[in-house]
Amino acid sequence: MHTPPAMDTVLACVARDRADGLLERWSASTVIDENVGEAVVERDVFERIHSAGGVNARFPIGNAGLVHVYGYLFSTVVTPYGYKSDRWNDGVLATALGRPAGYFRLGDGDETPLARVLGSAEPLLLDPPASAHVAEWDADGARQRAVVTEGLLVSGLDEGAGMRLLTIFPVADAAAFTRDLSAEAPRLRWNAARAS
């Protein structure tokens, strides 16, 4: 059973991220999941987190940090990979990054979950390690980058103002994931969207 967090707790985190200027470092994302073909974040949740973040967004396209880090905590849609919140709660992603298992969970640590995700993923996106597989492609007027290391993918989008973080999620088999990625035609992936 999936239990969503208290909205007030999440909105307090969003307000802090807004004050710290962290939301501008994220690209845009749609809440229409490419695997299930439907919204994985409800409109009410979408609107409340974007309002708290001071982000002018029109459902279903919003700020990737707000959608992925906070919106996913409320998602009750089961995807082929489980609940969207699993990546923050099950410890697999945190462990792949060399962090404690609970590092991305709401309420753990002094920083907000969004700040912890950004601090962990943005360096990999902007300055990938030599051991990572890095792919870049153009689609829909934007440049998307994927950095695949053992255990995870980090992706970002550049719409002309620099690469900004889109998403991060666990990858079970980095070599197979990389092969599949290079075999596909260029398109915006992993719910990336152009900001409206």
Side-chain angles (χ1 to χ4, degrees), residues 86-120:
D86 289 349
R87 73 182 67 177
W88 310 128
N89 293 325
D90 65 13
V92 172
L93 185 57
T95 304
L97 283 157
R99 309 287 194 184
Y103 190 70
F104 296 130
R105 290 182 195 137
L106 187 66
D108 278 29
D110 294 330
E111 294 180 297
T112 66
L114 185 140
R116 281 177 262 143
V117 173
L118 192 64
S120 299

Side-chain angles (χ1 to χ4, degrees), residues 29-50:
S29 175
T30 177
V31 298
I32 307 297
D33 184 74
E34 62 188 56
N35 289 302
V36 297
E38 65 178 276
V40 291
V41 177
E42 291 182 8
R43 184 185 291 265
D44 178 61
V45 169
F46 179 97
E47 290 177 351
R48 291 185 72 181
I49 59 179
H50 282 87

Side-chain angles (χ1 to χ4, degrees), residues 124-125 128-135 137 145-155 169-179 181-182 190:
L124 292 172
L125 176 68
S131 59
H133 173 82
V134 181
W137 60 93
R145 176 182 297 162
V147 179
V148 184
T149 65
E150 204 51 56
L152 63 102
L153 167 129
V154 177
S155 185
F169 56 80
V171 171
D173 184 335
F177 187 92
T178 300
R179 279 194 307 274
L181 177 61
S182 55
W190 309 303

